[in-house]
Amino acid sequence: MTAGSDAPPAVTAPAAPAGAAVPDPTERIDLLLRDLRSSRVGLTDREARRRLVQVGPNRLERRGGRTWPRELIRQFTHPLALLLWAAAGLAWAVGIVPVAVAILIVILINAGFAFAQERHAERAVEALAAYLPPRARVMRDRAVTDIDATDLVPGDVLIISEGDRISADARILDGGMEVDMSALTGESMPVYRSADLADAGVPLPQAGDLVFSGTTCTEGEARAVVYATGMRSELGRIAALSERVRHDESPLEHQVRRVAWLIALVSVALGVAFIPLATLAAGLSFVNAVVFAVGLLVGNVPEGLLPVITLALGIGVRELARRGAVMKRLSAVETLGSTDVICTDKTGTLTENRMRVTVAHTAGGRFDFTPDRPPTRDPTLDRMAVALAACNNANLTGSGDHLPTGDPTEVALLETVAALGFPVDEELRRRQRTRQFHFDSARKRMSTLDAGTHGERVIHVKGAPEAVLPLCITELDTRERPVPLTSVRQQQLNDLVDGLARQGLRVLAVAERHLDDEEADPVRPDQAERALTLLGVVAMEDPPRAEVAEAVAACHTAGIRVIVITGDHGLTAAAVAAQVGITRTEPVIVTGDELDHTSEHDLDLLLAADTDLIFARSSPEAKLRIADALRAAGHVVAMTGDGVNDAPALRRADIGIAMGRSGTDVAREAATMVLTDDNFATIAAAIRAGRRVYVNIRKFIFYIFAHATPEVVPFLVFALSGGAVPLPLTVLQLLSFDVGTETLPALALGREPAEPGLMHQPPRPRGEPVIRVRMLLRAWLFLGVLCAALAMAGFFFVLLRAGWHPGAATGPGSPLHHAYQQATTMTLLGLVTGQIGTAFAARTEYASLRSIGVFSNPLLLWGIAFELAVTAAIIYLPPLHTLLGTAALTPAMLAFTAPFPLIVWGADEFRRWLVRRRTTATELTDERVRVSA
């Protein structure tokens, strides 16, 4: 039945309701059209509008409803938040309403802050929706009409041309085209789809006459009837699945949650242990015991921990973006710091991706190309130039800025053809081309079927020499006649290719085949790429990036192994790797075929060996296998990739790195990090930044934990004395210290410059806790005890000067009440001044403060200035006196606390000096033992 004889579709029969099942798209086309109540000429506009109301717009939608309430509730149920809830409940139960309200305000601030940070997370459905185009061409009322893609309905007939993004799932009615299915399958090689390739009983993505929403027509044209739109399409099904996928916690998130539970358990255990002691042994009243418990809980909770970690990671993400590395997850910044293996591409990552043809070899001899003068013309060279112009998809005229567009290799080949004086017009090439078999990583070659100047049909082929030479049976001689390609000549060509590759040149072989008059046009690559005539080989140079050598050296110094995985020739990759310093000995080169025949055990042994490795002529599947093997061995792997087939390996690696310039949308979507400059040096800089962020997170965690001891000690003194010593610090004063003065300096520590020797340390092992016993001992038992002693010294300094003795009344109306308020204010000031010393001590773990500079972190200085301003307001503003129970201090009291920061910092500086001295002595001893051995 012809299109013109079809009757208009019935408009009285309603379409299937929105919830109805999608019809079987593989059934006979006449049955499918019947089920869709459509025809080969599409729908009327009136019927399409009616169906749109019934089935809904053609868009991807969230079906899981709003998720923000659940995310917000999670912030209120974190272990640290639960501790504060318990403290607020205790305070409310005994009537200490201001304390309970203040704690609730702290809970709200922390939860709101953390919630706002997490709302920046990725949304997979929105990313998938970007594949849908805004417009579509359809048959409406028997005419081609341009409509919004969201208005497509089942039964519409799509008009699809080359370059169109397909807007819905459809069955081809007539015509044929090549379709990029990478959005659905991750396969980079376009597949041929035609009305003649009807399939039944196969998975829908494999059906030869179906096309799907989100895919792209790369060549050809067709008409297709829509059978599924929106969330009922294949892309919609993936979107629905994506909504149910939960991201695993990063190592840092997992560790912080574990530490939070540890703090909660310790706090509850202390409360359970000391409340009976306070009430029975020390004789405290129940109300005072509850005050003690509340103070203990609040003192142990690092209120600013979660918001400050989130902010520090956010700052790290912004810094990396300025360096050219765009991170897609906050937690990935921390993972970068533990990377110990980088699997990198060669072209464009280690090199400039700026190809230039340097030499060509044909039966006519060697032809050298220089920038200022092309070589002497030769018949064999001319034939190769014609083939390179035909088997090419680059465009020298480019887009609006007149720059060349296309793959850099093809651009370089086309520029060489133009220099030889041959036409490179894209429109002419399009008119002459009948069919194209795209390059793919399995065949390692590309071929086209073109019309010659005299009407003949010619197959042109270019690709890797080892993929093209075995298909050649003849070679074009200097009189343009094909002569048999002998085994001796084959060996000479293989030696020639190896010699060029050892020079770091990328080598391609070029061949052709003329079709006989009676031979049909090939429809598959294997039909075209056989019995070829070799035209010659061409070699190109792609110079290494100038900055890569220094970056590679920094990686080696940092204990990071660099493995090259490339689709290029092994000797070419080895030459480039040697130039940039990746290989320091003779590398082990493993080809794709060799890797395919390597067992898992042997691959594990190969990767575990202390050798320089290059995986050449590798497929994207090989990348996935290597990433799996490295991760199974406990390594933290960063993997680069740019093609759609690289997506699985990028997802599997700890840090998937996509190329921002040359990479595909699918690779960028799968990656954790996108390089805006495609530069290996940016990877090294990102790892350095990741290490710095991780170290800085440890610094402010240490800084926050160091305040737990001085915050708890006043309540312990009060409880253990049985009330003979009045409470040295009220709960409200403690909250003002935690919330008002702690956060900004902690945040400033997240901006610390890198310590000397950061990239001279080996990567930390996978799973190493961010909080270690040594850190806790330094925080709680060294600086914490020191700060607590200084704060309590200030408290007793004021009380004893006022004539206080243990047990003396200090409550409202007593002669010592004002002195008591000054004493608690002195405790608060002692905590703040000790906190300042702790901040400077936390800036380095081993190095001296002088080595990084006292003023090298201006944000910390501003944070300290802010906390001093807040403290001054607490001490001297009368409204805050009433709220917090503080009192103004005398100059003598201020002078007493002035040395506290120097005492705290100086003690830790002396400790770090002892650590460095002991480490140096150990290293010298080890060196003497090694030399004597």
Side-chain angles (χ1 to χ4, degrees):
M1 184 183 295
T2 63
S5 64
D6 282 329
V11 297
T12 55
V22 174
D24 179 9
T26 63
E27 63 183 345
R28 281 204 334 260
I29 191 65
D30 56 334
L31 297 179
L32 179 62
L33 290 172
R34 183 200 64 187
D35 291 345
L36 291 170
R37 303 187 188 280
S38 183
S39 74
R40 293 178 178 270
V41 293
L43 305 173
T44 65
D45 190 60
R46 181 186 302 174
E47 171 65 12
R49 287 200 304 269
R50 184 159 46 240
R51 294 190 184 193
L52 184 63
V53 173
Q54 292 178 311
V55 302
N58 177 35
R59 66 166 65 101
L60 302 184
E61 299 173 348
R62 284 189 176 274
R63 290 183 170 178
R66 294 177 297 176
T67 60
W68 69 262
R70 183 169 63 251
E71 295 172 1
L72 184 58
I73 290 173
R74 188 165 56 86
Q75 305 302 332
F76 289 103
T77 56
H78 193 276
L80 300 183
L82 293 177
L83 274 183
L84 292 178
W85 282 114
L90 284 174
W92 190 279
V94 298
I96 315 175
V97 178
V99 172
V101 172
I103 295 174
L104 290 176
I105 291 174
V106 170
I107 294 173
L108 289 172
I109 291 174
N110 277 346
F113 197 75
F115 172 70
Q117 291 294 324
E118 290 195 2
R119 289 300 291 168
H120 293 295
E122 295 177 87
R123 290 177 173 84
V125 173
E126 283 79 359
L128 285 169
Y131 283 111
L132 290 177
R135 306 290 291 175
R137 287 185 302 145
V138 297
M139 294 287 292
R140 292 275 176 90
D141 295 323
R142 294 181 175 269
V144 177
T145 306
D146 196 47
I147 65 170
D148 288 336
T150 54
D151 293 340
L152 277 173
V153 294
D156 264 325
V157 173
L158 271 173
I159 309 299
I160 307 171
S161 302
E162 181 176 338
D164 287 348
R165 185 84 77 173
I166 299 167
S167 314
D169 291 1
R171 168 84 172 267
I172 299 177
L173 297 174
D174 54 59
M177 56 185 174
E178 289 193 345
V179 182
D180 178 1
M181 298 273 289
S182 59
L184 288 179
T185 65
E187 294 295 332
S188 61
M189 181 181 176
V191 295
Y192 188 66
R193 292 289 185 255
S194 169
D196 300 330
L197 301 178
D199 285 316
V202 298
L204 293 186
Q206 298 178 18
D209 55 349
L210 299 185
V211 292
F212 302 96
S213 173
T215 61
T216 305
C217 173
T218 59
E219 183 181 348
E221 56 184 24
R223 290 193 312 155
V225 61
V226 174
Y227 66 85
T229 60
M231 296 300 289
R232 297 199 294 174
S233 67
E234 285 293 299
L235 195 63
R237 181 182 61 82
I238 295 174
L241 291 174
S242 297
E243 288 196 316
R244 295 194 287 270
V245 174
R246 297 184 60 186
H247 288 295
D248 293 335
E249 281 188 325
S250 73
L252 180 62
E253 292 166 336
H254 180 66
Q255 290 177 34
V256 169
R257 187 168 293 276
R258 287 183 59 188
V259 168
W261 280 112
L262 174 63
I263 293 172
L265 292 174
V266 169
S267 302
V268 171
L270 286 176
V272 170
F274 278 100
I275 287 180
L277 179 66
T279 53
L280 300 177
L284 285 182
S285 66
F286 176 72
V287 172
N288 283 337
V290 171
V291 170
F292 163 72
V294 172
L296 201 62
L297 290 177
V298 174
N300 272 296
V301 173
E303 289 88 350
L305 180 63
L306 297 180
V308 170
I309 284 179
T310 305
L311 271 179
L313 292 174
I315 291 169
V317 166
R318 288 192 291 273
E319 289 182 353
L320 288 172
R322 287 196 293 269
R323 292 173 176 265
V326 178
M327 304 300 298
K328 297 171 62 179
R329 290 199 311 267
L330 288 181
S331 58
V333 178
E334 177 264 341
T335 309
L336 264 176
S338 59
T339 299
D340 63 342
V341 178
I342 301 175
C343 296
T344 178
D345 289 326
K346 178 187 73 69
T347 304
T349 309
L350 302 178
T351 63
E352 296 179 359
N353 205 16
R354 187 168 48 84
M355 296 287 188
R356 185 179 71 85
V357 173
T358 59
V359 64
H361 285 266
T362 71
R366 173 189 175 108
F367 302 93
D368 292 304
F369 292 81
T370 58
D372 55 342
R373 189 178 62 182
T376 305
R377 297 284 293 271
D378 180 88
T380 56
L381 183 62
D382 291 350
R383 285 279 287 273
M384 186 165 66
V386 170
L388 290 174
C391 191
N392 200 307
N393 288 323
N395 182 9
L396 292 188
T397 58
S399 54
D401 53 8
H402 302 295
L403 293 175
T405 58
D407 180 81
T409 298
E410 295 201 329
V411 169
L413 295 174
L414 216 54
E415 288 174 340
T416 301
V417 172
L420 290 173
F422 287 87
V424 292
D425 179 61
E426 184 183 23
E427 185 59 34
L428 174 63
R429 183 166 67 234
R430 191 187 304 275
R431 289 198 307 268
Q432 293 178 339
R433 181 177 296 177
T434 304
R435 183 175 295 275
Q436 174 184 201
F437 300 103
H438 294 268
F439 176 88
D440 79 272
S441 56
R443 290 174 26 250
K444 297 184 178 64
R445 55 186 177 265
M446 167 191 176
S447 58
T448 57
L449 172 60
D450 306 289
T453 54
H454 303 293
E456 70 275 18
R457 295 171 299 153
V458 186
I459 301 290
H460 294 114
V461 183
K462 76 173 189 296
E466 64 269 27
V468 174
L469 290 180
L471 303 178
C472 296
I473 61 173
T474 57
E475 180 181 16
L476 193 72
D477 67 7
T478 54
R479 289 181 290 182
E480 299 187 73
R481 295 183 308 179
V483 296
L485 190 60
T486 64
S487 58
V488 174
R489 178 58 176 161
Q490 281 271 16
Q491 186 58 49
Q492 290 175 347
L493 290 169
N494 291 332
D495 294 341
L496 171 66
V497 169
D498 288 347
L500 293 171
R502 286 192 181 92
Q503 301 172 37
L505 300 178
R506 183 176 187 182
V507 187
L508 294 177
V510 187
E512 68 176 17
R513 179 167 72 90
H514 289 255
L515 298 183
D516 298 331
D517 294 338
E518 65 277 7
E519 187 175 355
D521 289 349
V523 295
R524 297 194 311 271
D526 60 319
Q527 294 173 339
E529 299 162 352
R530 61 180 181 83
L532 301 176
T533 297
L534 178 67
L535 302 179
V537 296
V538 59
M540 294 162 285
E541 68 171 359
D542 182 13
R545 293 178 183 266
E547 62 274 21
V548 167
E550 182 180 352
V552 168
C555 288
H556 285 159
T557 303
I560 300 171
R561 186 182 189 185
V562 182
I563 297 174
V564 178
I565 307 177
T566 178
D568 216 333
H569 195 288
L571 296 177
T572 302
V576 173
Q579 292 176 40
V580 299
I582 291 177
T583 57
R584 291 162 289 185
T585 59
E586 188 67 25
V588 175
I589 301 175
V590 182
T591 65
D593 290 339
E594 291 171 346
L595 182 62
D596 291 341
H597 293 88
T598 301
S599 67
E600 299 297 330
H601 175 70
D602 290 341
L603 178 60
D604 291 341
L605 293 178
L606 180 65
L607 293 172
D610 186 20
T611 57
D612 294 323
L613 277 177
I614 293 176
F615 292 92
R617 298 301 191 200
S618 295
S619 65
E621 292 76 15
K623 283 188 173 184
L624 178 61
R625 188 180 175 197
I626 293 167
D628 278 337
L630 288 169
R631 282 173 53 86
H635 295 286
V636 179
V637 182
M639 174 78 72
T640 68
D642 54 8
V644 289
N645 265 1
D646 290 329
L650 295 178
R651 290 192 184 96
R652 190 67 54 87
D654 297 278
I655 298 290
I657 305 173
M659 302 298 111
R661 291 180 179 176
S662 60
T664 61
D665 290 338
V666 176
R668 285 192 288 268
E669 180 64 28
T672 311
M673 181 170 79
V674 179
L675 300 184
T676 58
D677 57 1
D678 295 7
N679 194 341
F680 180 89
T682 305
I683 303 176
I687 290 176
R688 186 177 188 275
R691 287 191 177 191
R692 175 191 166 196
V693 168
Y694 176 81
V695 170
N696 287 347
I697 287 174
R698 296 188 71 241
K699 288 177 182 177
F700 67 66
I701 290 177
F702 161 77
Y703 168 79
I704 291 174
F705 277 22
H707 305 148
T709 302
E711 289 177 2
V712 170
V713 164
F715 296 93
L716 290 178
V717 170
F718 167 68
L720 295 177
S721 69
V725 176
L727 192 63
L729 188 72
T730 68
V731 175
L732 284 177
Q733 289 169 352
L734 177 57
L735 285 173
S736 70
F737 171 73
D738 281 338
V739 178
T741 67
E742 184 176 75
T743 302
L744 275 185
L747 177 60
L749 287 172
R751 300 293 297 273
E752 273 293 315
E755 286 192 45
L758 180 66
M759 291 296 282
H760 288 75
Q761 302 169 11
R764 69 180 188 278
R766 177 191 291 272
E768 177 186 283
V770 67
I771 300 171
R772 289 179 283 184
V773 173
R774 186 169 56 191
M775 174 202 290
L776 296 180
L777 293 177
R778 181 187 174 202
W780 287 344
L781 300 183
F782 181 61
L783 289 184
V785 168
L786 181 58
C787 289
L790 292 174
M792 294 308 300
F795 173 76
F796 287 115
F797 170 75
V798 174
L799 277 186
L800 292 174
R801 286 185 64 191
W804 171 85
H805 59 83
T810 57
S814 65
L816 290 175
H817 182 61
H818 180 69
Y820 168 69
Q821 288 183 317
Q822 285 184 316
T824 59
T825 308
M826 192 73 164
T827 305
L828 177 62
L829 180 60
L831 291 178
V832 171
T833 51
Q835 184 184 56
I836 294 173
T838 302
F840 281 103
R843 292 189 62 192
T844 65
E845 190 170 355
Y846 300 106
S848 66
L849 183 61
R850 184 179 64 180
S851 66
I852 64 171
V854 178
F855 305 105
S856 59
N857 188 351
L859 186 61
L860 178 62
L861 302 180
W862 282 109
I864 291 173
F866 175 80
E867 73 174 329
L868 289 175
V870 171
T871 306
I874 292 173
I875 295 174
Y876 293 109
L877 292 182
L880 295 180
H881 291 171
T882 305
L883 177 64
L884 301 175
T886 54
L889 301 180
T890 65
M893 297 174 187
L894 297 178
F896 186 84
T897 60
F900 286 6
L902 289 175
I903 294 173
V904 173
W905 165 77
D908 195 71
E909 186 79 9
F910 180 70
R911 182 199 65 83
R912 280 179 274 124
W913 177 78
L914 291 177
V915 171
R916 292 196 303 273
R917 186 179 181 185
R918 184 169 62 248
T919 302
T920 303
T922 302
E923 290 174 350
L924 287 174
T925 302
D926 292 343
E927 180 65 18
R928 291 193 189 101
V929 171
R930 187 186 66 81
V931 171
S932 62

